[in-house]
Amino acid sequence: AAPGDEFEGTPTQYAKIENLTYQQDMDTQVSWIYEIRTNLSHLHFKNISWTDGKKSTTYVGLIGRLSGPASYLDIEGITLNYGYTTDYMGFIAYATETIEYVRGRDIRMESGKGDAGRLYYAGGIVGYAKEPLKYIGIKGSKSVADGKEVYTYSINGSGTKTNWYQTGGIAGRLEKGVIFAYADCVEVTGCREVGAIAGNYSWVNLHEPYNWTKIDQMGVYLTEARNSR
């Protein structure tokens, strides 16, 4: 599912959720949807801005917990301001079932609080994935403003030090590997265990931002990152 490829079905088969601005002012487990326990499929999320307005802690994102399978998702133009979150952050914060056939474009995730603290398990698509990811493509673009490179797909943002470990363009932490994953022109920033595909899989970075050599090992097949940092 490389960026630009069309997914199964015609556009009319995708339900759109778009043009939303949301701020949550709670102290813990802040998410737009607390938990989904059934199949999440054929949805197009577009132009959504989400902000954690107070000092939240864990399971923060548009979907806090996903305990059913997910497939055929188009995620585009999403901005997540995670404030003081400490654990599990992403479009989907924590997932226990397989996620497959997902396209992510122009996703931005940042603290908005400067160097406020540490954050474990942060990913553009999913913070922590218990089951395999399959056929995932993410893509951004790059421009130069005031002499600095600006990426439209940016996880944790340029120059911040908030994130402590396991930060990835697709996933922060993978438990059971990934099959066919692709990242093009994405920026991922963190303190340790950082990768354009994933921050951590069995203590291997996928792919380190400045060295995107392919990794081929048990549970990891045909993953590639390019034009990323």
Side-chain angles (χ1 to χ4, degrees):
D5 292 348
E6 292 299 325
F7 290 146
E8 179 183 90
T10 64
T12 57
Q13 291 177 306
Y14 283 77
K16 284 190 176 182
I17 301 172
E18 60 182 341
N19 302 326
L20 298 174
T21 299
Y22 180 78
Q23 177 166 318
Q24 178 65 279
D25 292 323
M26 295 176 62
D27 291 329
T28 186
Q29 300 189 18
V30 177
S31 55
W32 184 46
I33 301 171
Y34 178 80
E35 183 176 11
I36 294 177
R37 299 181 181 181
T38 186
N39 182 45
L40 183 70
S41 182
H42 287 88
L43 292 173
H44 185 184
F45 297 87
K46 184 177 181 181
N47 297 334
I48 298 175
S49 177
W50 181 94
T51 299
D52 172 12
K54 297 186 74 174
K55 192 171 182 179
S56 186
T57 52
T58 60
Y59 302 100
V60 174
L62 291 187
I63 300 170
R65 293 174 174 84
L66 179 63
S67 52
S71 61
Y72 298 105
L73 302 179
D74 197 352
I75 304 167
E76 177 185 4
I78 306 297
T79 299
L80 302 174
N81 182 336
Y82 60 80
Y84 293 100
T85 301
T86 58
D87 301 279
Y88 308 109
M89 174 66 202
F91 174 81
I92 301 168
Y94 186 88
T96 61
E97 299 294 335
T98 298
I99 299 174
E100 58 184 352
Y101 298 106
V102 176
R103 177 171 60 184
R105 293 170 289 170
D106 302 333
I107 296 174
R108 295 190 60 84
M109 226 173 71
E110 57 192 0
S111 169
K113 302 294 185 180
D115 296 339
R118 56 92 173 169
L119 171 62
Y120 296 86
Y121 316 126
I125 304 299
V126 57
Y128 196 112
K130 296 285 288 183
E131 294 295 327
L133 303 184
K134 302 178 181 180
Y135 312 108
I136 313 289
I138 60 173
K139 182 177 175 62
S141 60
K142 181 176 68 173
S143 60
V144 177
D146 298 326
K148 296 182 179 180
E149 294 180 335
V150 178
Y151 287 77
T152 61
Y153 196 114
S154 179
I155 304 304
N156 205 37
S158 300
T160 65
K161 299 178 181 179
T162 303
N163 200 304
W164 203 67
Y165 76 28
Q166 299 190 8
T167 313
I170 292 175
R173 167 74 176 178
L174 294 171
E175 283 288 322
K176 295 186 180 179
V178 58
I179 298 174
F180 295 104
Y182 181 84
D184 185 11
C185 202
V186 305
E187 174 191 50
V188 185
T189 306
C191 292
R192 53 182 285 200
E193 299 179 37
V194 179
I197 298 292
N200 180 286
Y201 168 64
S202 294
W203 306 106
V204 175
N205 292 24
L206 301 178
H207 296 271
E208 293 184 2
Y210 299 106
N211 180 10
W212 54 270
T213 303
K214 288 186 179 181
I215 297 173
D216 183 10
Q217 65 175 54
M218 181 63 70
V220 179
Y221 303 98
L222 297 177
T223 68
E224 183 175 355
R226 59 177 60 193
N227 306 318
S228 301
R229 72 173 186 182

